Amino acid sequence: MATTDRSLGRWISALEGGSREAAAQLDDAWRTAGRAHVIGVSGPPGAGKSVLVGRLVGRYLADGRAVGVLAVDPTSPLSGGAILADRLRMTVPRTAGRVFVRSLASRGSLGGLARVVPSAVRALECAGFDPVLIETVGVGQNEVDVATAADTVVLVQGPAGGDDIQGLKGGLLEVGDVLVANKCDLDGIDQTVAMLQEVARARRREGWQPPVVRVSARDGIGIDALQEAIEGHRRWARDSGHHADSARRRARAEILALAAQRLAETLAGNALDARVADGELTMTAALERLLERASPRQSNDGRKQAAGS
Amino acid sequence: MSSRAPNIESASGERVRVLLCNPGLDGHDRGVKVVARGLRDAGMEVVYLPLRSTIEDVVSVAVQEDVDVVGISNLSATLVATCRRIKEMLAALGADDVLIVCGGTVLADDRRELARLGIHGVFGPGSKRDDIVHYIRGHVPHDRRTRPAGE
């Protein structure tokens, strides 16, 4: 179990690298770990997610809570590298209490998060952090992985033209439990608030109507109201039984993420893709072989090849 | 360019993580931003800290982010003191396997002092991106990413 920042930092790296030993440590620690409130923060690029997360961290620290943060930034599709700059905008008072911030690169995941996020959330829970905040990459319409990874989803929108907002309506806004109109001092924010309220009203029948909160993350305005809205959603989820649903959703997301990682590693360790490209194997046959090789009983050869490459 | 091979390596999950910082009262950040972009283009994951971070911030972030490399930019002649302190504090946290590299205007005397601290990756004005990348790749312990987490 990770008791220092150093060991927790190493643990998350090992999980990210697909270490089975680290995964076994997580299985072990998870049995006795407390459960955290997992808060996802998502929205388009430049909406103010990082600044807002910094504010929320400060707010929860002031309540005496130990706060974990996972901040995801995009991996360059060309080089595989990434600039992880979320913490550049998160002014977290280092002396205010226990806070652990980890930046993660999306590494090819297209849903707005990184594959390791569900496991890293649990590692933070095992280390005693509650709440755990997840900041997604700046998203467009369809990056809704945050909905499966978090108990409460906060969607952040700035003042924007109709086109951006229309684009969001169909997908992402449907998964928001709390809707934030950020940069509330700027022109055009009333339009954003009206749109968010319309979205919220349309969701009344689900039993939870997402509150719309006006915030200026930069100036620290509306942060208390935002925290109250987040906590309100948590109470509702607990009282209505929705919390059990979100635990199951999180488990499902993590199983699928781990499976995808295992399959990618197995594929990297042999030439199935080349054989499909050469026309030697059909796609269906390649899939069957990949699944066979990824399963524990027969995975030894594939593993050794992958490790030796 | 020469970035083909690194990409394939990074696809296997062994991605080098670098913290770039400019601690203290130095306000020159153009160089470190150019380096950030260069390292990204070489397939590395770069955590970037704001200007005027404290040394305590740098060390805490390096450990939480579990970086392989801390790159320190400095154009105000306080490099040796800064590096010495960061090295000591990393070691105190058990993170003495983190590689320290430096950039900026470095005086000849300071270079000798840095070498005495075991810091040899010092890149002044006119350094080539590929030289920095090559130095980092050559000096990050190859098994660091894949070693078990441990306690």
Side-chain angles (χ1 to χ4, degrees), chain B residues 25-40:
Chain B
L25 295 177
D26 181 15
H28 306 83
D29 61 353
R30 171 152 318 178
V32 72
K33 281 177 174 160
V34 170
V35 172
R37 189 181 175 140
L39 298 184
R40 182 204 74 181

Side-chain angles (χ1 to χ4, degrees), chain B residues 12 23 36 61 68 79 91-92 118 124 126 140 148-149:
Chain B
S12 70
V61 168
D68 306 289
L79 197 51
V140 167

Side-chain angles (χ1 to χ4, degrees), chain B residues 66-89:
Chain B
D66 189 30
V67 293
D68 306 289
V69 183
V70 175
I72 302 160
S73 171
N74 189 289
L75 291 88
S76 66
T78 53
L79 197 51
V80 173
T82 302
C83 287
R84 182 179 290 126
R85 192 83 188 103
I86 287 176
K87 205 171 155 61
E88 284 168 3
M89 290 177 69

Side-chain angles (χ1 to χ4, degrees), chain A residues 82-93:
Chain A
I83 302 281
L84 308 174
D86 287 324
R87 59 189 315 156
L88 193 61
R89 300 186 183 81
M90 267 177 222
T91 17
V92 175

Side-chain angles (χ1 to χ4, degrees), chain A residues 12-28:
Chain A
I12 292 173
S13 297
L15 289 167
E16 197 174 26
S19 151
R20 298 201 182 186
E21 196 180 334
Q25 284 172 355
L26 185 54
D27 289 340
D28 229 33

Side-chain angles (χ1 to χ4, degrees), chain A residues 1 3 5-7 9-11 13 21 78-84 87-88 94 99-103 105 107, chain B residues 7 15 17 36 40-41 43-48 50 57 61 63-66 94 97 144-145 148-149 151:
Chain A
M1 242 271 276
T3 50
D5 281 5
R6 162 78 170 168
S7 55
R10 299 303 317 271
W11 196 13
S13 297
E21 196 180 334
L78 298 181
S79 71
I83 302 281
L84 308 174
R87 59 189 315 156
L88 193 61
R94 195 173 34 81
V99 56
F100 187 100
V101 181
R102 180 62 177 254
S103 313
R107 296 191 178 181
Chain B
N7 296 355
R15 236 161 289 200
R17 285 170 70 88
R40 182 204 74 181
D41 289 345
M44 299 184 187
E45 293 182 352
V46 180
V47 179
Y48 183 63
D57 284 336
V61 168
V63 165
Q64 292 191 353
E65 298 285 358
D66 189 30
D97 57 348
R144 194 167 181 280
R145 288 278 128 218
E151 177 54 89

